[in-house]
Amino acid sequence: MVKKDAKAYVYINGKIMGFVDNPADFANEIRASRRKGILSGEVNVAYMEKTNEIHINTDSGRVRKPYIIVENEKSKLTQDLAQKLKNKEINFNYLLRNGIVEYLDAEEEENAMVVFNEKDINEKTTHIESDLSGIFGFTINVSPFPEHNSLARHAMLANFTKQAEGLYASNFNIRFDSRSYLLFYPQMPIVKTATYDSINMKSHPSGQNFVVALSTYYGYNMADAIVINKAAVDRGMGRSVFYKTYSDEERRYPGGQKDRFKLPPATTEGYMGEHVYSKLSEDGIIEPEMSVEEGEVIIGKVAPPRFLEENLGAGGLEEKMRDDSTILKAGEKGVVDSVVFTETTGATKIVKVRIRSLKVPEKGDKFASRHGQKGVVALIVPQEDMPFNSDGIVPDLLLNPHSIPTRLTFGHLLETLAGKAGAVSGKTIDGTAFAEEGPKRIEAYSKMLEERGFEKYGNETLYDGITGRPFKAQIFNGVVYYNRLYHMVSNKIQVRSRGKVQILTHQPTEGKARQGALRFGEMERDALIGYGASLLLKERLLDQSDKTTIAICKSCGGMGYYDHIKRITICSLCGKNDFEDVEISYAFKILLDEIKSLHILPTIKLKE
Amino acid sequence: MAKKYSDGREEFHVEKGDPVGMIAAQSMGEPGTQMVLRAFHLAGIESTISTSGLPRIAELVDAKKSPATPITYVYLDKSINKDLEKVVALMKKINEVRMSTIMRHAPMENFGKGLIKISLSGQELESEQLTAKQVASKLAKELEVEAYEKDGAVYINAHTKDAKKIRALSTKISKMVVSGIEGAGKTTVQKDKNTGEFYIIAAGSNIESIINVDGVDKSRLTTNDVFAIYRLFGIEAARNSIIKELNQTLKEQKISVDERHLMLIADSMTSAGSIKGVGRHGLSGQKNSVLARAAYEETVKHLIHAAAFGEIDPMEGVTENILVGKQIPIGTGSVKLGIKTEQPKKK
């Protein structure tokens, strides 16, 4: 424990600056001068009673939050001031300057006693939280009714918000982002929050209001799958465009050589055939609004040969060039949206080609609501087969009701109801956290629905689109704001039967970009051993992978080589040519070669 | 055994060529992945906190020489096992008390006089039911030195002024066992709810000494220390102990693994007559095949050894055959199709 009446160390930005006798008073004095404006509002002070230290922080990188100051058990934000603020006679900065509101950092918060409500103020209270939703950050506060959702779902929501397609920038047309996604008809959500307005999300909308019914559909929306309406898709629901920019430059090499943008002549090394270059114009670069597919060249370029020797035989003739064109990657297609031809400050020519491709929602595309409820389209149903209500309203999306109770996302249900109430009465609904208690909210939305002749809790009799019969149970439906996330099958799908292999190991390549295969890993191997399927295992690991045939000398067990001049296989160890062809994995051959490189001779004994 | 499994399982006989080892490994490995996440303890039961879950499995399977938390269950002869007083008396006899637990602090040496002063904690003495005098006489007897008690402290006259000898003596004293059996650990008495008898739980595993204490039921003495059982009762008992301990640990975690998998693991660990772990110092490290050992751990070490001693890989195992790309001699690969090559006789 700290001795009584001991002097307290004073730290400024973590460095000891001196001592004080009565630390608590000292800290209060600093606070008082900050409120008066003598000290900068960015200064925070904290007195640590346990260690008897004073920490004054003025540096950057501290997370700070505004609080309303309480003095003598009274909030400094009086009724009068609040009214003035409402009438816009004063603004937030006025409150800051006049010591009514101040920012606290994490350390100073330890010294503060904060209440949520003015009536809770007691003699210890130092601050009031400006708004209850202030206990959440921006990301959570953009979602409606966050206080009704589980924390785990908020974490997911924060991720989905980043992945949502929308209008990310209004100058998208002149930007050359390497990848960007743009939603065709973004909407403002019917259920908004105060934060939504304050961070100006209005100018960057990222979703659409879907009519959602909580219903199953022949098992097609089990386990986070969703069923969507074909007609809605045709009307533009979730439709978006994907831009991808390819770029290339004329590089300079030591020795005065450089790349050249041009239509590669047929004599170029690595020329891929006329049809591949057919869409290029004379300058070797593709023209806008040309539709392109995988494997086609979009930027024609020739480069000098990699090694000098290649050039020597030419004897002063025209330089032999190498093809270094940019090819549209596998699985991609679209229309050339825009081409830019420019120079860097170093006078290097640069070409950027932006490819645009339309992404209509299809099976396998991902959608998410603002409650961490994600789903993948599993079925697109023609409108006539979807359930409908007596007014002829057909839902855009069918969400499985099982996705609600275990995930504790009751905010989703509340948004469905609020969205419906807002839609029928033509109003936006405020979904700010803690703005109203849950039951009162439901009451208000129920009233709005009843006034317009709807069932008050959002339930309706729906009719089976296929049989035309009403469903026995009433089905809860409403309007929910959905985001389309940028994970789309068309950008991820990849297939391979036979294909490229790695040079070093002769094994199949890995990854989509290399047309790779799926790895048959250790655990898969164990499963086959456990089942005793020895030939299937051999097929996976050898025949379909890196099978090689080597010649083994029958007398010494060494590896033979084929002499192309004598046209016989010779053993380099004993010189004989009595061989047996053996099938082994190429990986094992490398092992043998590497062991040999260490001056150790591995030999293979053959069984009779 | 036959009776135990008469619930329809007899239909699932193992056939020739079945990869039983792989299946055993998978059968224990898969539930093992769930175990890591739920490491919980049952509060209150059997006051001692013992290693459980994955760490305990690893301990058993790696054949650790001594368990992190050894426990010995000492059951007693029928004549005394319902008499609490006698059981407690026996417990005191076993209960290991070290000097370090009853000393207040390290021994204080007076090099000038050749004296060592040991202040004893009255509280500890009381709970162990010892007196300073007893301690003094014990020290005198064991160390063959002059020791006497004064004001609750024990003094030892080393009869020398050699600082080195005095220091050596005081170190020896700190490590000494004052009463009970060395390696028996702290003991408690428990009551068996079913039979009503009392038994002793010791937090040590010196069963070699405990078994010689009068009144101990030799036939029911058991411990969770597999190596102690191996030393005292032999390899067969150790095998059974491994099975029992594995089974118990898995059951605690509410994981059901067929006992026969555990039996196979225990069998392969003990088949050589001593307990071997399954890792690189045990079963995997002693494989016949160079390639299989090199593919597992310490690749370079095994390859260098093979090069230096001219090892020949008989290619009889699974790993090495996968490595070179041959059909594995297991399952469908364990049979060969034979064709008579001689010509049929012409009529």
Side-chain angles (χ1 to χ4, degrees), chain A residues 30 69 111 157 200 204 216 251 300 307-308 321 346 375 384 399 422 543 566 598:
Chain A
I30 291 179
I69 299 166
N111 287 170
L157 163 92
N200 201 16
H204 301 284
T216 56
R251 232 168 270 122
F307 307 106
L308 278 174
M321 295 295 267
E384 54 271 28
L399 181 73
D543 304 337
K566 293 178 189 164
L598 297 169

Short mmCIF file of all heavy atoms in Angstrom, two decimals, chain A residues 30 69 111 157 200 204 216 251 300 307-308 321 346 375 384 399 422 543 566 598:
data_model
loop_
_atom_site.label_atom_id
_atom_site.label_comp_id
_atom_site.label_asym_id
_atom_site.label_seq_id
_atom_site.Cartn_x
_atom_site.Cartn_y
_atom_site.Cartn_z
N ILE A 30 -6.87 20.73 -12.59
CA ILE A 30 -6.63 20.63 -14.03
C ILE A 30 -7.96 20.54 -14.78
O ILE A 30 -8.17 21.22 -15.79
CB ILE A 30 -5.76 19.39 -14.34
CG1 ILE A 30 -4.35 19.63 -13.79
CG2 ILE A 30 -5.71 19.13 -15.84
CD1 ILE A 30 -3.42 18.48 -14.00
N ILE A 69 -21.34 17.26 -18.29
CA ILE A 69 -20.76 17.43 -16.95
C ILE A 69 -21.87 17.66 -15.93
O ILE A 69 -22.87 18.33 -16.19
CB ILE A 69 -19.78 18.63 -16.96
CG1 ILE A 69 -18.64 18.35 -17.95
CG2 ILE A 69 -19.24 18.89 -15.57
CD1 ILE A 69 -17.83 19.56 -18.28
N ASN A 111 -11.98 7.74 -13.21
CA ASN A 111 -12.27 8.67 -12.13
C ASN A 111 -13.69 9.20 -12.16
O ASN A 111 -14.11 9.92 -11.27
CB ASN A 111 -11.32 9.88 -12.20
CG ASN A 111 -9.90 9.52 -11.77
OD1 ASN A 111 -8.99 10.30 -11.94
ND2 ASN A 111 -9.74 8.32 -11.23
N LEU A 157 -22.31 -8.60 -37.62
CA LEU A 157 -22.87 -7.46 -38.35
C LEU A 157 -21.76 -6.49 -38.76
O LEU A 157 -21.74 -6.00 -39.89
CB LEU A 157 -23.89 -6.75 -37.45
CG LEU A 157 -24.23 -5.33 -37.90
CD1 LEU A 157 -25.42 -5.35 -38.80
CD2 LEU A 157 -24.42 -4.42 -36.73
N ASN A 200 -24.03 10.44 -42.07
CA ASN A 200 -24.36 10.70 -43.47
C ASN A 200 -24.35 9.43 -44.32
O ASN A 200 -23.80 9.41 -45.42
CB ASN A 200 -23.41 11.75 -44.05
CG ASN A 200 -24.00 12.41 -45.27
OD1 ASN A 200 -25.23 12.30 -45.49
ND2 ASN A 200 -23.18 13.08 -46.05
N HIS A 204 -24.33 7.25 -48.90
CA HIS A 204 -23.67 5.99 -49.26
C HIS A 204 -24.57 4.81 -48.95
O HIS A 204 -24.22 3.96 -48.13
CB HIS A 204 -22.34 5.84 -48.49
CG HIS A 204 -21.38 6.94 -48.76
ND1 HIS A 204 -20.66 7.01 -49.92
CD2 HIS A 204 -21.04 8.02 -48.03
CE1 HIS A 204 -19.90 8.09 -49.87
NE2 HIS A 204 -20.12 8.72 -48.75
N THR A 216 -40.85 -21.32 -44.36
CA THR A 216 -40.01 -22.28 -45.05
C THR A 216 -40.51 -22.40 -46.49
O THR A 216 -41.59 -21.92 -46.82
CB THR A 216 -40.08 -23.66 -44.39
OG1 THR A 216 -41.44 -24.06 -44.35
CG2 THR A 216 -39.55 -23.61 -42.98
N ARG A 251 7.76 -1.14 -68.94
CA ARG A 251 8.90 -1.14 -68.01
C ARG A 251 10.19 -0.90 -68.79
O ARG A 251 10.34 -1.28 -69.95
CB ARG A 251 8.95 -2.49 -67.30
CG ARG A 251 9.02 -2.33 -65.78
CD ARG A 251 8.77 -3.64 -65.08
NE ARG A 251 7.36 -3.85 -64.79
CZ ARG A 251 6.66 -4.89 -65.22
NH1 ARG A 251 7.23 -5.80 -65.99
NH2 ARG A 251 5.39 -5.02 -64.91
N GLY A 300 -2.12 -5.60 -75.18
CA GLY A 300 -1.03 -6.25 -75.92
C GLY A 300 0.29 -5.57 -75.59
O GLY A 300 0.39 -4.36 -75.58
N PHE A 307 16.97 -13.11 -71.41
CA PHE A 307 18.42 -13.34 -71.34
C PHE A 307 19.06 -12.80 -72.61
O PHE A 307 18.52 -12.89 -73.69
CB PHE A 307 18.71 -14.82 -71.21
CG PHE A 307 17.97 -15.45 -70.08
CD1 PHE A 307 16.87 -16.27 -70.32
CD2 PHE A 307 18.35 -15.20 -68.76
CE1 PHE A 307 16.18 -16.84 -69.27
CE2 PHE A 307 17.66 -15.77 -67.72
CZ PHE A 307 16.58 -16.59 -67.97
N LEU A 308 20.22 -12.25 -72.45
CA LEU A 308 20.91 -11.64 -73.57
C LEU A 308 21.25 -12.66 -74.66
O LEU A 308 21.18 -12.37 -75.83
CB LEU A 308 22.19 -10.95 -73.09
CG LEU A 308 21.97 -9.55 -72.51
CD1 LEU A 308 23.26 -9.00 -71.93
CD2 LEU A 308 21.42 -8.60 -73.57
N MET A 321 11.36 -10.26 -79.89
CA MET A 321 10.67 -9.83 -78.67
C MET A 321 9.83 -10.97 -78.11
O MET A 321 9.48 -11.92 -78.80
CB MET A 321 9.79 -8.61 -78.97
CG MET A 321 10.57 -7.37 -79.37
SD MET A 321 11.62 -6.74 -78.05
CE MET A 321 10.51 -5.54 -77.31
N GLY A 346 7.73 9.44 -64.21
CA GLY A 346 8.99 8.97 -64.79
C GLY A 346 8.86 8.69 -66.27
O GLY A 346 9.68 7.97 -66.82
N GLY A 375 -27.30 -15.15 -45.29
CA GLY A 375 -27.89 -16.28 -45.97
C GLY A 375 -27.41 -16.37 -47.40
O GLY A 375 -26.98 -15.38 -47.99
N GLU A 384 -45.08 -16.65 -59.48
CA GLU A 384 -46.36 -17.36 -59.39
C GLU A 384 -46.31 -18.55 -58.44
O GLU A 384 -47.34 -19.02 -57.99
CB GLU A 384 -46.84 -17.79 -60.78
CG GLU A 384 -45.85 -18.62 -61.59
CD GLU A 384 -44.91 -17.77 -62.44
OE1 GLU A 384 -44.64 -16.62 -62.07
OE2 GLU A 384 -44.43 -18.27 -63.47
N LEU A 399 -37.38 -16.21 -45.37
CA LEU A 399 -36.36 -16.50 -44.36
C LEU A 399 -36.88 -17.61 -43.48
O LEU A 399 -38.03 -17.59 -43.04
CB LEU A 399 -36.11 -15.24 -43.53
CG LEU A 399 -35.06 -15.37 -42.43
CD1 LEU A 399 -33.67 -15.42 -43.03
CD2 LEU A 399 -35.16 -14.20 -41.46
N GLY A 422 -43.77 1.10 -41.21
CA GLY A 422 -43.28 2.27 -41.92
C GLY A 422 -43.70 2.25 -43.37
O GLY A 422 -44.08 3.27 -43.94
N ASP A 543 -1.29 -42.04 -58.98
CA ASP A 543 -1.73 -41.99 -60.37
C ASP A 543 -2.30 -40.62 -60.74
O ASP A 543 -2.06 -40.12 -61.83
CB ASP A 543 -2.78 -43.08 -60.61
CG ASP A 543 -2.25 -44.46 -60.24
OD1 ASP A 543 -1.01 -44.61 -60.23
OD2 ASP A 543 -3.05 -45.36 -59.94
N LYS A 566 22.74 -42.68 -78.35
CA LYS A 566 22.87 -44.13 -78.50
C LYS A 566 21.51 -44.83 -78.49
O LYS A 566 21.39 -45.99 -78.85
CB LYS A 566 23.73 -44.70 -77.37
CG LYS A 566 25.19 -44.26 -77.44
CD LYS A 566 25.94 -44.82 -76.24
CE LYS A 566 27.34 -44.23 -76.17
NZ LYS A 566 27.93 -44.46 -74.83
N LEU A 598 24.06 -34.96 -51.45
CA LEU A 598 24.84 -34.91 -50.20
C LEU A 598 25.93 -35.98 -50.19
O LEU A 598 26.46 -36.32 -49.14
CB LEU A 598 23.91 -35.13 -49.01
CG LEU A 598 22.83 -34.08 -48.80
CD1 LEU A 598 21.84 -34.56 -47.76
CD2 LEU A 598 23.44 -32.76 -48.39
#
